[in-house]
Amino acid sequence: MPAVEHKLNVSEEEVPEHIRLIASQQGECTKTKKQTIEQFRSYIMERNECQPHRNDDKYLEKFLRARYWKIENSYRLLCSYYKFREHNKSYYEKVRPLDLRHLGDSDILTVTPYRDQHGHRIIIYRFGLWRPNRVTVDDIFRATIVLQELGSLEPISQIMGGVAIFDLKDLGLEHILHLSPSVAQKMIALLVTSMPIRTSALHIVNQNWVFNAGFKIFKPFLNSAMRERLYIHGSDMSSLHKHIDPEHLPKRYGGLHDDYSYTLWLDMLKEQSTESSVQKDMEQLGFIFH
């Protein structure tokens, strides 16, 4: 297949008609959108339980989209997001995304530059490749947050969410030793409860007996809705293909695409001009690019 460009779709004009239709089914209405955002802004100020660093329409809209335009649920997400930030300042403040290249070099995680048949980008973790003595758990979280924050700038991703694949091939005890309950809690917070982008499904592939031990740590943090979106496939890729068309998967999962490194997203960020909205949005969150 031809190489795929690493590009963020940050413009509302890039949202295809069929995804606009899905947005309207989720509760988004062009006629009342401004009014709903205004109500949300007033709700935030009245409750005053969290102080977002921005409250412009564009910023608030992604929280509303993530919770189907329900103001109370969107507010809970907003507060959960800022609580996570407050408790994990080292994941945002003075973090230099371009210094996280070693994660890409190790191929531990990436996000596909293409989308699946539903419009989701796919975040892929290959934990068996992780060497804890070279890459810290905190760096995995920092890299995940950079990807999640970038994804949350895309209207298509705000509407459709994303999907995650946890490839557990070669997962060993040395990995499980680093997966404490607090690490599990943070991972679930990032993928489920505390980011303004929904995870529509979690797919686990190539798991072994070590996974069963690790899963006991994660399971208590999965709510019933998330358990329904968790799919365990083993090495049966035809099972994965029932959810994600092979046309939109890497070759290693029976698909057509090459593997694309996390570093290609960092290259995309590096090429952004200092005036770009992407870099400005990320800098407002505490990230440093210069």
Side-chain angles (χ1 to χ4, degrees):
M1 288 194 80
V4 179
E5 187 184 6
H6 282 66
K7 176 180 175 287
L8 289 174
N9 310 120
V10 294
S11 165
E12 288 286 341
E13 281 73 55
E14 293 179 89
V15 180
E17 198 51 50
H18 72 281
I19 289 182
R20 287 188 195 281
L21 183 63
I22 291 169
S24 70
Q25 291 163 354
Q26 292 175 353
E28 185 168 326
C29 172
T30 46
K31 288 176 185 168
T32 59
K33 183 193 270 196
K34 259 193 133 28
Q35 188 186 339
T36 308
I37 295 172
E38 194 50 58
Q39 285 172 348
F40 186 37
R41 190 180 290 114
S42 301
Y43 192 92
I44 294 164
M45 290 166 82
E46 283 163 20
R47 292 293 184 284
N48 199 28
E49 291 164 40
C50 57
Q51 285 76 40
H53 70 288
R54 286 171 57 181
N55 72 353
D56 55 279
D57 286 11
K58 189 179 171 188
Y59 185 69
L60 296 183
E61 183 176 25
K62 67 181 181 181
F63 288 91
L64 286 163
R65 278 176 164 163
R67 290 298 179 266
Y68 304 114
W69 293 84
K70 292 184 171 69
I71 286 177
E72 279 184 37
N73 294 355
S74 302
Y75 180 69
R76 275 202 295 274
L77 172 63
L78 184 81
C79 290
S80 178
Y81 171 75
Y82 279 95
K83 189 176 172 186
F84 183 86
R85 279 179 59 94
E86 185 59 33
H87 290 172
N88 299 284
K89 287 182 177 173
S90 69
Y91 294 166
Y92 285 91
E93 292 179 5
K94 297 179 181 168
V95 170
R96 296 177 182 273
L98 302 180
D99 289 351
L100 294 169
R101 292 192 79 85
H102 57 296
L103 274 99
D105 295 336
S106 307
D107 288 325
I108 301 167
L109 85 158
T110 194
V111 165
T112 57
Y114 49 85
R115 298 176 187 277
D116 73 6
Q117 70 272 27
H118 303 296
H120 307 124
R121 288 204 193 271
I122 308 166
I123 187 165
I124 301 171
Y125 292 91
R126 296 170 65 196
F127 282 119
L129 297 177
W130 174 34
R131 298 293 166 263
N133 58 339
R134 285 187 222 153
V135 175
T136 66
V137 170
D138 284 340
D139 273 349
I140 293 176
F141 281 127
R142 287 183 187 107
T144 299
I145 286 166
V146 168
L147 291 172
Q148 293 273 63
E149 292 288 3
L150 286 171
S152 80
L153 299 176
E154 298 187 295
I156 298 172
S157 298
Q158 291 167 12
I159 294 163
M160 299 307 301
V163 295
I165 294 177
F166 282 58
D167 183 347
L168 304 185
K169 184 172 187 252
D170 298 327
L171 188 77
L173 287 173
E174 73 274 20
H175 303 120
I176 296 295
L177 291 173
H178 289 82
L179 297 179
S180 64
S182 75
V183 167
Q185 205 166 3
K186 283 178 193 173
M187 184 61 87
I188 297 301
L190 281 182
L191 291 176
V192 185
T193 59
S194 302
M195 292 297 278
I197 186 164
R198 289 187 309 277
T199 301
S200 302
L202 284 170
H203 297 283
I204 292 172
V205 298
N206 298 322
Q207 76 276 9
N208 55 21
W209 64 271
V210 177
F211 162 77
N212 298 326
F215 191 53
K216 284 177 185 154
I217 300 169
F218 277 82
K219 207 168 180 182
F221 303 107
L222 291 172
N223 61 24
S224 57
M226 206 59 234
R227 285 180 201 191
E228 284 168 22
R229 283 177 267 162
L230 177 70
Y231 302 95
I232 299 172
H233 305 286
S235 56
D236 179 7
M237 293 307 145
S238 65
S239 171
L240 178 64
H241 297 166
K242 288 173 188 167
H243 302 268
I244 306 174
D245 193 297
E247 198 180 320
H248 311 292
L249 280 169
K251 290 171 186 167
R252 70 179 59 255
Y253 307 123
L256 303 178
H257 284 278
D258 293 328
D259 290 323
Y260 294 101
S261 170
Y262 174 73
T263 54
L264 293 166
W265 285 113
L266 297 182
D267 292 342
M268 180 279 297
L269 269 179
K270 198 175 179 181
E271 285 159 19
Q272 297 279 323
S273 73
T274 50
E275 295 305 305
S276 85
S277 64
V278 169
Q279 208 168 101
K280 280 182 179 170
D281 285 349
M282 296 293 277
E283 283 172 344
Q284 286 176 347
L285 294 168
F287 296 112
I288 296 173
F289 289 92
H290 307 290

